[in-house]
């Protein structure tokens, strides 16, 4: 059920994704990229969590988790990527959701991968305060927070499954700083 929810969320974002225009076409042409190694492609890399706290209504019916979220990456061999992020927070029957969709190019040099966002969008949804609902393209000055370099490795984990491990440049290699993505394909 959880996978279905994320799939539907991401399909919604994809179906309303940004349209190319001349400016975006130039940005794509100017954005640095390298070929992406095959161990990163042909996979959907996802990390997610769900809270231990849950909510029930006054009739004893389950309403949902206190919060949950996921980040997904899809890399293509031509040096492009797509990133999806979903975060939700619940307070009883009120649910606030945040979606981020980003497309861009990547440079892979050895064990380093650098993300160069080109286009994307934000969407917010709040079922208790519709004035908080919005959908808009990501602004030029906001792209920089997604332009990051990570150390990466695809390896077998203790669970026997293949994972993508990413550590943002400048952070200590402590367990809480290492993002571990599962291959969902």
């Amino acid at each position: 059920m959880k996978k279905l929810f994320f799939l539907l969320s991401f399909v919604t974002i994809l179906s309303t994704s940004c349209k190319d225009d001349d400016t975006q076409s130039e940005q794509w042409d100017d954005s640095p990229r390298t070929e992406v190694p095959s161990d990163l492609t042909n996979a959907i890399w996802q990390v997610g969590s769900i809270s231990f706290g849950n909510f029930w209504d006054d009739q004893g019916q389950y309403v949902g988790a206190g919060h949950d979220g996921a980040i997904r990456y899809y890399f293509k061999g031509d040096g492009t990527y797509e990133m999806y992020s979903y975060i939700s927070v619940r307070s009883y029957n009120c649910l606030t959701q945040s979606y981020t969709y980003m497309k861009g190019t990547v440079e892979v040099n050895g064990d380093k991968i650098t993300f160069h966002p080109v286009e994307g969008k934000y969407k917010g949804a709040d079922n208790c305060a519709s004035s908080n609902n919005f959908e808009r393209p990501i602004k030029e000055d906001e792209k920089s927070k997604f332009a990051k370099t990570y150390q990466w490795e695809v390896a077998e984990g203790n669970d026997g499954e293949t994972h993508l491990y990413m550590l943002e440049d400048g952070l200590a290699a402590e367990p809480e700083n290492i993002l571990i993505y599962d291959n969902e394909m």
Side-chain angles (χ1 to χ4, degrees), residues 57-184:
D57 66 15
D58 59 357
Q59 303 299 310
Q61 296 295 313
Y62 178 72
V63 177
H67 64 83
D68 57 2
I71 300 172
R72 278 188 163 184
Y73 284 98
Y74 179 68
F75 299 99
K76 298 178 185 173
D78 67 354
T80 60
Y81 77 96
E82 295 181 42
M83 184 276 297
Y84 314 86
S85 171
Y86 171 78
I87 300 169
S88 73
V89 177
R90 179 180 301 280
S91 181
Y92 298 96
N93 287 325
C94 295
L95 178 64
T96 303
Q97 299 170 301
S98 167
Y99 304 88
T100 302
Y101 173 68
M102 186 73 58
K103 286 174 37 172
T105 62
V106 291
E107 290 180 283
V108 180
N109 296 304
D111 69 345
K112 301 285 185 180
I113 185 167
T114 302
F115 292 86
H116 302 283
V118 175
E119 62 183 85
K121 66 186 268 180
Y122 288 125
K123 181 178 179 180
D126 186 327
N127 71 338
C128 286
S130 61
S131 62
N132 293 334
N133 296 344
F134 69 92
E135 187 171 335
R136 68 171 178 79
I138 290 177
K139 300 173 186 170
E140 269 318 298
D141 62 334
E142 295 171 327
K143 291 179 187 176
S144 63
K145 69 180 171 183
F146 295 98
K148 295 182 179 181
T149 299
Y150 294 86
Q151 184 176 342
W152 72 276
E153 177 184 20
V154 172
E156 186 175 308
N158 293 336
D159 59 0
E161 298 291 324
T162 301
H163 301 285
L164 168 62
Y165 298 87
M166 291 196 338
L167 173 66
E168 186 177 339
D169 260 9
L171 295 180
E174 301 293 330
E176 65 269 14
N177 293 334
I178 299 171
L179 298 172
I180 303 171
Y181 294 85
D182 296 329
N183 183 350
E184 293 297 317

Side-chain angles (χ1 to χ4, degrees), residues 8-17 84-85 99-101 121:
L8 290 174
S9 298
F10 296 136
V11 167
T12 300
I13 292 171
L14 279 176
S15 67
T16 60
S17 65
Y84 314 86
S85 171
Y99 304 88
T100 302
Y101 173 68
K121 66 186 268 180

